Amino acid sequence: MEDVAKGVAIMTQTEYTITDKVLYYEDLENSILIDLLEKNMKELGPIPFIEEKFDYLKKLSETFPPRAQKRTVDFYQIPENEMHKGVHTGIVHQDELIYLPSDDAGNVSVRAPFGTFLVAVPPVGMPMHC
């Protein structure tokens, strides 16, 4: 970013000053905490959905572009037996997860034990970020 500011200053024949440097850290997950979270999630089992909610989510997923659900299932490697009416009802182990949504927890994670888990709320195929 400093090079960008310098380049803009040169192009516009102006001066610039950087007054604050903020460091942003990547998430530093605690593997012991992650294992404990996963163990507890397995013990609790899937979230109990009311059948009408599954029906609603299925109707919503039908409004997605063609193949959106298949792309998501393939991307997250979701087993067919963990799908119910367009909702993922299983657990994907941390090492198998190839994408984590962006967050701002990195700075906290370097100062305190930190673990991440995701819960299926939208139907499979709905983008998490727009």
Side-chain angles (χ1 to χ4, degrees), residues 27-31 33-34 37 94 103 105 109 112-117:
D27 292 355
L28 178 62
E29 292 192 336
N30 181 303
S31 61
L33 185 56
I34 291 291
L37 285 167
Q94 172 194 10
D103 61 33
S109 72
F114 177 77
T116 301
F117 66 93

Side-chain angles (χ1 to χ4, degrees), residues 4 20 28-29 31 38 46 52 58 63-64 69 72 81 88 91 97-98 114 118 124:
V4 171
D20 189 24
L28 178 62
E29 292 192 336
S31 61
E38 183 177 345
E52 293 83 36
K58 179 66 176 169
T63 67
F64 301 159
Q69 188 177 69
T72 304
N81 65 338
H88 178 224
I91 295 173
L97 190 60
I98 56 177
F114 177 77
L118 304 174
V124 172

Side-chain angles (χ1 to χ4, degrees), residues 9-62:
I10 291 169
M11 288 186 298
T12 59
Q13 297 180 351
T14 58
E15 294 180 9
Y16 72 98
T17 303
I18 296 177
T19 57
D20 189 24
K21 286 188 179 182
V22 178
L23 295 176
Y24 296 99
Y25 296 96
E26 292 184 29
D27 292 355
L28 178 62
E29 292 192 336
N30 181 303
S31 61
I32 294 170
L33 185 56
I34 291 291
D35 290 343
L36 183 61
L37 285 167
E38 183 177 345
K39 177 182 174 281
N40 286 328
M41 289 174 77
K42 285 179 179 177
E43 283 181 21
L44 289 171
I47 297 170
F49 275 89
I50 299 169
E51 195 62 32
E52 293 83 36
K53 298 296 182 186
F54 277 120
D55 292 339
Y56 172 77
L57 293 171
K58 179 66 176 169
K59 287 178 187 172
L60 182 59
S61 72
E62 291 168 357

